[in-house]
Amino acid sequence: VKERSAPLPHLEPEPTDLTLGVSLHGITKVYGSKAAVDNLSLNFYEGNITSLLGHNGAGKTTTISILTGLFPTSSGTIFVYGKDIRTDQEVIRKNMGVCMQHNVLFNYLTTKEHLLLYGYIKVPHWSKQELYQEETGLYSHRHKLAGSLSGGMKRKLSIAIALLGGSRVVILDEPTTGVDPCSRRSIWEIISKNKKGRTIILSTHHLDEAEVLSDRIAFLEHGGLKCCGSPFYLKETFGDGYHLTLTKKKVCFFIFHSALWLALPVPCWNSHAFL
Ligand SMILES: Nc1ncnc2c1ncn2[C@@H]1O[C@H](COP(=O)(O)OP(=O)(O)OP(=O)(O)O)[C@@H](O)[C@H]1O
């Protein structure tokens, strides 16, 4: 693998025509002697879906936990629509919806009862009709107990709860984990349909998910920002950054000029060889 010699630009210029929803200002979270998040600064815009992408331990969940107020930063702060998370947590939470990595559902409540329960807590003055306005494809399952729902339907219900009550900031921690490919696509559709007027932040391990869903992608590594921009910008900037040469002794020889995140099957005499 041959790396480019010149340093690559890693940040696409910020959009100027969008409302700033969430802004991370140099946040750091230290556990013992290790920084799980290290001086991370990043902006999220209204009407955009921004993905936090990174390998296990990159700091995605820690960032999301700080964002949702689960625990404080060691240093730095976050502004949500201009409100400081250190001092205005209560106001911020009223406009925030969260879907955590693991479903937090009650097995003996139906999908409808979940929406009503969370709705009455979050927006007690809203009518039932207002609570049901989000397009989440749950209507035909409204009388089913959460405990009897498939994994995909449980995730959809968790996402519906996050969207409920007109949440302006929606945080989705690995929304499609453990979901089959078909349900994944319908979850992507639900998220895309509901992005208008909201700042949506999601974390994922999946390159395809980030590419399909995101207006902007932020790659995290060791708790810091590696690069950030639209999928198109990142592909244009980094997509031709590497040449991979594979040599199979005496039998065949191939050169690949591959896109950054495309895993291509390697046409080789050995049919089991894949890149
Ligand atoms: N409560 C904790 N105590 C100590 N270390 C922690 C704690 N939570 C996270 N870490 C460490 O911080 C780093 C970042 O973890 P984090 O869970 O934020 O990463 P992640 O990108 O969300 O990973 P994954 O994709 O596996 O969920 C890891 O090295 C992890 O071991």
Side-chain angles (χ1 to χ4, degrees), residues 175-203:
T176 61
T177 298
V179 166
D180 67 61
C182 189
S183 303
R184 252 179 115 207
R185 280 174 199 283
S186 66
I187 288 176
W188 292 348
E189 210 175 303
I190 291 168
I191 298 171
S192 297
K193 262 189 195 163
N194 284 286
K195 71 176 185 177
K196 196 169 168 230
R198 306 178 196 263
T199 303
I200 299 188
I201 302 169
L202 72 90
S203 79

Side-chain angles (χ1 to χ4, degrees), residues 143-164:
H143 298 307
K144 287 188 184 164
L145 294 177
S148 69
L149 295 174
S150 65
M153 288 309 298
K154 283 183 182 167
R155 285 317 269 161
K156 281 185 195 171
L157 178 54
S158 300
I159 292 165
I161 292 168
L163 295 169
L164 194 80

